[in-house]
Amino acid sequence: MGVAVAQFKFEKLNTSIEKHWNSGSLDTRLKLGFGSGPRLVGGKSFAKPAVLDQNQVKLLSQAAVHSMEETRKIMMNWRRQGHSLADIYLQGVAKSAKLIGELWTTDELDFVNINIAFSRLHRALHDFSTEFLAEGGSKSNGLSLLLMTEPGSQHGMGAFMLSEFFRQAGWRVMLAAPQDIADFKRMFLSDWFDAVALSISTDRQIEAVYKTVSELRKATVNPNLKIYVGGPMACLSPDALNWTGTSLLDKDAAQTVQIVTQAARASAPSMAE
């Protein structure tokens, strides 16, 4: 749902990345060995589109650093090859975001450029939102979710992507980015929710959020509320998110929706009582 970082670095974009990007035009790179999908001949495709491999992931990462136009071009090219948006999000965008975060930790990208790259990927998700939701074709399932980042978080792309998968599956979603703990509490208690999912990107407020969730769990409108904790910290430091009364989410967006939906439906009889 984002990339956890330990410190801020402000340095010039690594020249080796720029050199690699500028070594040829985007159209040329898409034609040369980057896991290209089947070409259309006579209006028909020969087979399923090729898997979006690591080379394709790198290409999107570089495009996100370079420009919004190049980012859209690559995603549109994948669509023309026959990839679903769900596949593009999970195998392309999510993995590219992870790679961009890794480039920051190895000092190959500075803090400014990773935020620019993340914002472009985030914007691309917004641009494809209508098409993505239509791709699922699901009707409302009557379930509601509060999907919330940690207070003051600057990492919203992952949470937005996850919210899109829930909406596509028929959930009513409230996506919230609280500014502080007071805002966090207000949003948590603002309505009836069948589930609450928290995206934790850093370790800066883990203790404060945990204590707040412990208090709110007893005050929520829904006595059977399911609370989940995930985000980058679920992979980086899962033990830190082993909170009483919550479940850890460390799967991709599609798997997360399945897990939360199954649990919500399983608790429906007791909720009706």
Side-chain angles (χ1 to χ4, degrees), residues 12-22 107-109:
K12 186 178 180 181
L13 177 61
N14 186 278
T15 55
S16 64
I17 296 178
E18 284 291 314
K19 184 182 296 183
H20 179 66
W21 176 261
N22 292 323
D107 292 329
E108 294 180 69
L109 280 179

Side-chain angles (χ1 to χ4, degrees), residues 1 14 33 59 68-69 98 106 109 113 119 153 182 208 218 228 240 243 268:
M1 298 183 198
N14 186 278
L59 190 62
M68 190 67 229
E69 180 183 3
K98 181 180 179 181
T106 57
L109 280 179
N113 279 289
S119 69
S153 174
K218 303 172 184 177
Y228 300 88
W243 300 351

Side-chain angles (χ1 to χ4, degrees), residues 214-269:
S214 297
E215 297 172 3
L216 295 175
R217 190 162 50 88
K218 303 172 184 177
T220 181
V221 178
N222 178 4
N224 298 300
L225 179 68
K226 303 294 184 182
I227 304 175
Y228 300 88
V229 185
M233 290 301 295
C235 297
L236 295 175
S237 184
D239 291 342
L241 300 182
N242 186 22
W243 300 351
T244 302
T246 69
S247 299
L248 184 69
L249 291 174
D250 57 0
K251 308 298 183 182
D252 67 29
Q255 294 172 317
T256 294
V257 172
Q258 292 178 356
I259 292 169
V260 176
T261 301
Q262 289 174 1
R265 286 174 174 167
S267 66

Side-chain angles (χ1 to χ4, degrees), residues 16-235:
S16 64
I17 296 178
E18 284 291 314
K19 184 182 296 183
H20 179 66
W21 176 261
N22 292 323
S23 61
S25 69
L26 174 64
D27 292 338
T28 299
R29 288 191 300 277
L30 289 174
K31 294 176 183 177
L32 297 176
F34 283 97
S36 299
R39 296 189 180 185
L40 299 179
V41 179
K44 298 180 179 180
S45 59
F46 290 113
K48 294 181 179 179
V51 175
L52 296 177
D53 60 18
Q54 188 62 19
N55 285 327
Q56 291 279 21
V57 170
K58 290 179 181 178
L59 190 62
L60 180 60
S61 301
Q62 293 163 353
V65 173
H66 190 256
S67 75
M68 190 67 229
E69 180 183 3
E70 305 294 1
T71 302
R72 289 196 185 98
K73 280 183 179 179
I74 289 175
M75 293 178 67
M76 288 301 299
N77 184 70
W78 291 347
R79 288 292 284 148
R80 287 192 292 269
Q81 292 174 7
H83 290 283
S84 68
L85 282 174
D87 185 36
I88 290 172
Y89 285 10
L90 295 175
Q91 302 303 320
V93 177
K95 291 184 177 180
S96 293
K98 181 180 179 181
L99 177 58
I100 290 169
E102 292 172 353
L103 292 174
W104 186 88
T105 61
T106 57
D107 292 329
E108 294 180 69
L109 280 179
D110 61 36
F111 183 73
V112 173
N113 279 289
I114 67 164
N115 276 285
I116 291 173
F118 284 145
S119 69
R120 286 171 178 154
L121 291 176
H122 196 164
R123 182 176 173 184
L125 296 179
H126 275 282
D127 291 346
F128 282 101
S129 178
T130 300
E131 186 179 352
F132 177 78
L133 296 179
E135 191 175 84
S138 298
K139 297 181 180 179
S140 172
N141 61 13
L143 298 171
S144 61
L145 171 76
L146 171 62
L147 177 54
M148 192 158 48
T149 60
E150 64 192 81
S153 174
Q154 298 180 356
H155 304 279
M157 191 204 76
F160 177 78
M161 180 189 293
L162 181 58
S163 75
E164 291 286 271
F165 275 86
F166 271 101
R167 290 189 176 101
Q168 190 191 68
W171 283 73
R172 177 174 64 86
V173 180
M174 176 179 173
L175 180 59
Q179 296 302 305
D180 50 34
I181 290 294
D183 204 19
F184 183 95
K185 292 180 178 179
R186 180 183 62 78
M187 292 175 177
F188 198 104
L189 300 175
S190 64
D191 201 349
W192 169 287
F193 299 106
D194 294 289
V196 171
L198 306 176
S199 175
I200 309 298
S201 299
T202 71
D203 59 1
R204 291 192 294 268
Q205 299 189 69
I206 285 182
E207 189 63 28
V209 174
Y210 167 61
K211 290 181 178 179
T212 302
V213 170
S214 297
E215 297 172 3
L216 295 175
R217 190 162 50 88
K218 303 172 184 177
T220 181
V221 178
N222 178 4
N224 298 300
L225 179 68
K226 303 294 184 182
I227 304 175
Y228 300 88
V229 185
M233 290 301 295
C235 297

